[in-house]
Amino acid sequence: MNKAQLFEQIQKKRSFLCVGLDTVLEKVPQHLLKYKDPVLEFNKQIIDATQDLCVAYKPNTAFYEARGVQGWQSLIDTWKYIPKSIFSIADAKRGDIGNTSAMYADAFFNEEKSGMSFDSITVAPYMGEDSVSPFLNYADKWVILLALTSNPGHRDFQTQAITEGKLYEEVIRVSSTWANSEQLMYVVGATRGAEFENIRRLAPNNFLLVPGVGAQGGSLGDVCEFGLNDQCGLLVNSSRGIIYASNGEDFAERAREEALKLQREMEQILSSNGLL
């Protein structure tokens, strides 16, 4: 999916919502435990309930890898169930020396080898260009680089002053020479609202993946005030606030209700900014 196609989906659904599939077996409603793969069944019902309201799904791969072989199969089967018209993000935060990154790229992008082929993957840029380029070698895939995250520890490195500004600013400046906005996105936490104006100065045309709205306290209004561009340019993620809205038999219906609240707010924002 290229940038124009992603924006087309945003306009069609009047939404820039990404639903995070951070599914924990212990939080799956009890009535689903009768299924061979309760995590997969949970994800399928969430997808069925929300697919007309969102433009992306983002499984955090750690929640699947922690369950070993069974969890990895759940991830593969979840990817297969996501409609191909919806942008898929492997939230894997990989980043290693080049030959290792090449294997990670195959793991998440090469369906023939691994059984899945996500549209994009989150990548940590700390080890530099040669650790990121194997993912960029897949011309039809996206790399979503960690830039400014929402966790408290972001202060340890990301906002530290260097010769020219802050470290996260240098990450954006340098990485923008590796690929253009048709292949490179950035992760920017919603709780960093005051920095969005500065980030848009550095990356005016790139899509930003924005976690932290909802349970983590980020404000959609603050994000959009400075984060929107002429193709929306935002994928705003909500995970726990949607998928764990209920732990009963009505979990999918309640997830839809929470997704619908965000979609309606997003529709209003898109409309008021002339993007529909």
Side-chain angles (χ1 to χ4, degrees):
M1 185 180 296
N2 60 36
K3 188 162 67 168
Q5 291 167 332
L6 183 53
F7 184 42
E8 182 182 333
Q9 288 298 310
I10 288 170
Q11 290 181 306
K12 179 181 178 180
K13 294 184 176 179
R14 298 171 174 260
S15 169
F16 45 98
L17 176 62
C18 172
V19 175
L21 298 173
D22 300 352
T23 309
V24 179
L25 181 61
E26 290 73 19
K27 291 186 177 182
V28 167
Q30 290 291 308
H31 72 282
L32 297 182
L33 298 181
K34 64 185 179 183
Y35 288 89
K36 180 180 178 181
D37 187 343
V39 167
L40 176 62
E41 183 61 28
F42 179 86
N43 288 349
K44 288 168 68 174
Q45 292 194 34
I46 292 289
I47 292 168
D48 289 344
T50 61
Q51 62 180 280
D52 61 320
L53 303 174
C54 69
V55 296
Y57 286 108
K58 182 180 72 65
N60 185 321
T61 65
F63 290 81
Y64 301 86
E65 294 173 76
R67 295 176 51 239
V69 173
Q70 185 178 3
W72 197 254
Q73 189 61 53
S74 296
L75 180 63
I76 293 172
D77 292 338
T78 294
W79 170 77
K80 289 179 178 178
Y81 197 77
I82 295 171
K84 294 302 173 278
S85 61
I86 298 181
F87 194 71
S88 58
I89 302 168
D91 190 3
K93 299 180 181 69
R94 296 304 198 258
D96 208 322
I97 61 173
N99 60 345
T100 305
S101 283
M103 294 296 102
Y104 282 139
D106 279 348
F108 292 100
F109 287 164
N110 191 327
E111 184 178 2
E112 185 176 343
K113 285 187 176 181
S114 69
M116 54 189 169
S117 181
F118 283 85
D119 293 310
S120 63
I121 185 172
T122 56
V123 175
Y126 185 75
M127 293 184 69
E129 181 179 8
D130 58 332
S131 70
V132 178
S133 58
F135 301 98
L136 293 169
N137 287 339
Y138 278 84
D140 60 339
K141 302 295 186 182
W142 291 83
V143 169
I144 310 177
L145 278 188
L146 301 177
L148 185 59
T149 56
S150 56
N151 63 304
H154 80 279
R155 301 182 190 90
D156 292 341
F157 298 114
Q158 296 168 24
T159 55
Q160 290 297 307
I162 56 174
T163 304
E164 296 183 8
K166 300 173 182 176
L167 181 58
Y168 85 85
E169 296 174 341
E170 186 69 3
V171 168
I172 295 174
R173 275 193 293 265
V174 173
S175 64
S176 67
T177 67
W178 304 342
N180 61 28
S181 63
E182 291 285 347
Q183 199 178 10
L184 193 61
M185 300 187 188
Y186 294 101
V187 175
V188 181
T191 54
R192 308 274 76 82
E195 297 282 356
F196 271 84
E197 186 174 17
N198 185 43
I199 288 164
R200 272 298 177 222
R201 179 180 59 81
L202 296 166
N205 301 314
N206 299 78
F207 262 85
L208 308 177
L209 173 62
V210 185
V213 167
Q216 294 182 47
S219 164
L220 181 61
D222 289 349
V223 167
C224 293
E225 183 177 357
F226 299 112
L228 283 173
N229 64 19
D230 61 3
Q231 287 189 304
C232 181
L234 296 172
L235 294 175
V236 173
N237 181 80
S238 179
S239 300
R240 288 170 287 169
I242 291 177
I243 67 173
Y244 296 137
S246 169
N247 62 359
E249 293 191 9
D250 65 342
F251 78 94
E253 290 83 359
R254 290 289 305 282
R256 179 175 179 80
E257 290 173 7
E258 294 304 314
L260 185 59
K261 290 177 187 176
L262 282 170
Q263 184 273 328
R264 286 175 172 167
E265 190 175 352
M266 289 174 175
E267 179 177 14
Q268 186 175 8
I269 290 168
L270 289 168
S271 179
S272 63
N273 283 274
L275 294 172
L276 295 178

